Amino acid sequence: MNILVTGSSGWLGQTLVPLLKSAGQTVTGLDPVPGQGTDIVGSVADRDLVRRVLRERRIQGIIHGGALHKPHIAIHDSSQFIATNVQGTLNLLEEATAEGSTVDRFVFTSTTSLMISQEIREAHKRGIERAFWIDEEMMPLEPRNIYGVSKLAAEHLSRMVHDATGLPIIILRTARFFPEEDDMAHEIIQSGPNTKANEYLFRRLTVEDAAAAHIVALDRAPQIGFDTFIISALTPFSPDDCEQLMKYAPLVVDRYFPRYREIYARRGWTMFDYIDRVYDSHKAMRRLGFVCQTGFGDILIQLDREDGV
């Protein structure tokens, strides 16, 4: 299959492009920044370029991972987010469904960030007594910044184009898989790896799992037609845990992973005092047939191995 990957020089693209190629796919990478997996340096905001790439490369499948992301808010204005994340997505969708196009499937990389309202972000400060259980049915969606707003707008465009043309489109709302430090890390956590390990309980996945989810979505898109999926490591928690997670999360974690305290103690690590949200990725397991390979339990096993236990 001839596949276009936007954002091919980014963190996801660097993992995704080699996986696709190793599976025998013909991949064209498009990104404004040069990179090993990038064949064409340019932006999805350039409609003429998008049209030319889709036609000349006879693209059949699109994985649209290119975007301005949350860290870019500090150095890009809102109009740039709209140009790239909204107009760029529309350019791809409309050219993919134009007469003569060979595109028959589309996977859009969205984000769980668009599901986090100011109320959720400030849950503990506001005295909310239960962690938010976040799944694809959660409404209303009230993203708190231009990144989330632009991604939600692009999701709506995807649904609109599917409804009008029938183009199979899968939206993947990925949780955190970036390597950078978390800009909202709890103050008690001083170690980047400690923070990331904790997050596998409720809002993180590996970049390898993120890439694998996109490959599965590309394959399944014609059978599914249109749908939206949260992609995150499968949480051990259930909605019944939400009250205790907000009160004192270590007790809940201890119930599911009795050895975590011992493993963490060897490294001087700590668990978050509270967990204010949990992403539920069970729909992806049921309907998409995808489950992340790495979860919190796997992280504990890896830590044991590193410690020689």
Side-chain angles (χ1 to χ4, degrees), residues 76-88:
H76 292 79
D77 61 32
S78 295
S79 63
Q80 292 173 295
F81 274 84
I82 298 302
T84 300
N85 295 2
V86 182
Q87 185 61 54

Side-chain angles (χ1 to χ4, degrees), residues 42-116:
S43 172
V44 292
D46 183 343
R47 177 103 177 215
D48 291 337
L49 175 62
V50 169
R51 181 184 304 114
R52 187 167 65 252
V53 171
L54 296 189
R55 300 302 185 274
E56 292 179 358
R57 303 285 177 128
R58 297 197 61 79
I59 298 299
Q60 298 163 289
I62 296 175
I63 297 180
H64 178 30
L68 290 181
H69 297 281
K70 184 181 174 185
H72 295 127
I73 292 176
I75 55 176
H76 292 79
D77 61 32
S78 295
S79 63
Q80 292 173 295
F81 274 84
I82 298 302
T84 300
N85 295 2
V86 182
Q87 185 61 54
T89 301
L90 183 61
N91 290 344
L92 283 165
L93 289 166
E94 290 190 337
E95 291 301 329
T97 54
E99 185 176 354
S101 170
T102 52
V103 176
D104 66 5
R105 63 196 71 190
F106 191 106
V107 177
F108 174 53
T109 312
S110 190
T111 173
T112 52
S113 180
L114 64 81
M115 308 178 78
I116 306 305

Side-chain angles (χ1 to χ4, degrees), residues 8 37 39 53 58 94 97 117 125 151 162-163 221 226-227 233-234 267 293:
S8 50
D39 306 281
V53 171
R58 297 197 61 79
E94 290 190 337
T97 54
S117 65
K125 184 190 301 184
K151 282 293 194 177
H162 168 77
D163 288 347
F226 181 88
D227 214 337
L234 203 61
R267 293 172 172 252
Q293 294 299 301

Side-chain angles (χ1 to χ4, degrees), residues 21-283:
K21 289 182 176 180
S22 67
Q25 309 290 6
T26 301
V27 182
T28 298
L30 172 66
D31 197 291
V33 178
Q36 189 170 0
T38 296
D39 306 281
I40 300 170
V41 176
S43 172
V44 292
D46 183 343
R47 177 103 177 215
D48 291 337
L49 175 62
V50 169
R51 181 184 304 114
R52 187 167 65 252
V53 171
L54 296 189
R55 300 302 185 274
E56 292 179 358
R57 303 285 177 128
R58 297 197 61 79
I59 298 299
Q60 298 163 289
I62 296 175
I63 297 180
H64 178 30
L68 290 181
H69 297 281
K70 184 181 174 185
H72 295 127
I73 292 176
I75 55 176
H76 292 79
D77 61 32
S78 295
S79 63
Q80 292 173 295
F81 274 84
I82 298 302
T84 300
N85 295 2
V86 182
Q87 185 61 54
T89 301
L90 183 61
N91 290 344
L92 283 165
L93 289 166
E94 290 190 337
E95 291 301 329
T97 54
E99 185 176 354
S101 170
T102 52
V103 176
D104 66 5
R105 63 196 71 190
F106 191 106
V107 177
F108 174 53
T109 312
S110 190
T111 173
T112 52
S113 180
L114 64 81
M115 308 178 78
I116 306 305
S117 65
Q118 199 65 29
E119 179 186 24
I120 294 175
R121 182 173 181 175
E122 297 178 350
H124 194 263
K125 184 190 301 184
R126 296 186 182 202
I128 294 173
E129 296 182 351
R130 289 179 58 85
F132 286 87
W133 189 263
I134 299 177
D135 62 19
E136 294 84 353
E137 302 303 315
M138 190 189 78
M139 294 293 286
L141 296 178
E142 298 175 336
R144 67 189 185 279
N145 55 42
I146 188 61
Y147 171 54
V149 168
S150 65
K151 282 293 194 177
L152 182 57
E155 286 194 8
H156 287 314
L157 290 173
S158 299
R159 175 193 47 77
M160 179 188 74
V161 169
H162 168 77
D163 288 347
T165 69
L167 177 67
I169 300 176
I170 301 295
I171 296 170
L172 301 182
R173 291 179 182 167
T174 57
R176 301 178 180 189
F177 59 84
F178 50 77
E180 297 87 0
E181 291 294 327
D182 178 12
D183 66 352
M184 287 187 62
H186 295 56
E187 292 182 2
I188 193 172
I189 303 296
Q190 300 299 322
S191 167
N194 187 173
T195 297
K196 292 177 175 62
N198 291 354
E199 289 180 339
Y200 279 100
L201 287 161
F202 64 105
R203 64 174 179 188
R204 180 169 285 276
L205 72 160
T206 65
V207 68
E208 291 82 8
D209 278 333
H214 283 73
I215 294 173
V216 171
L218 192 70
D219 179 63
R220 295 275 293 140
Q223 289 76 43
I224 292 175
F226 181 88
D227 214 337
T228 301
F229 300 97
I230 290 173
I231 304 297
S232 186
L234 203 61
T235 181
F237 305 137
S238 76
D240 292 338
D241 296 317
C242 287
E243 185 173 348
Q244 187 65 61
L245 284 170
M246 188 63 92
K247 289 181 178 178
Y248 191 58
L251 288 178
V252 186
V253 179
D254 188 68
R255 287 206 304 269
Y256 289 98
F257 302 97
R259 289 196 61 242
Y260 103 85
R261 291 181 187 271
E262 171 196 340
I263 295 168
Y264 269 37
R266 290 199 302 262
R267 293 172 172 252
W269 282 12
T270 55
M271 180 54 61
F272 298 144
D273 285 340
Y274 65 91
I275 290 173
D276 57 9
R277 73 196 76 161
V278 178
Y279 296 136
D280 180 4
S281 58
H282 282 86
K283 180 183 174 184

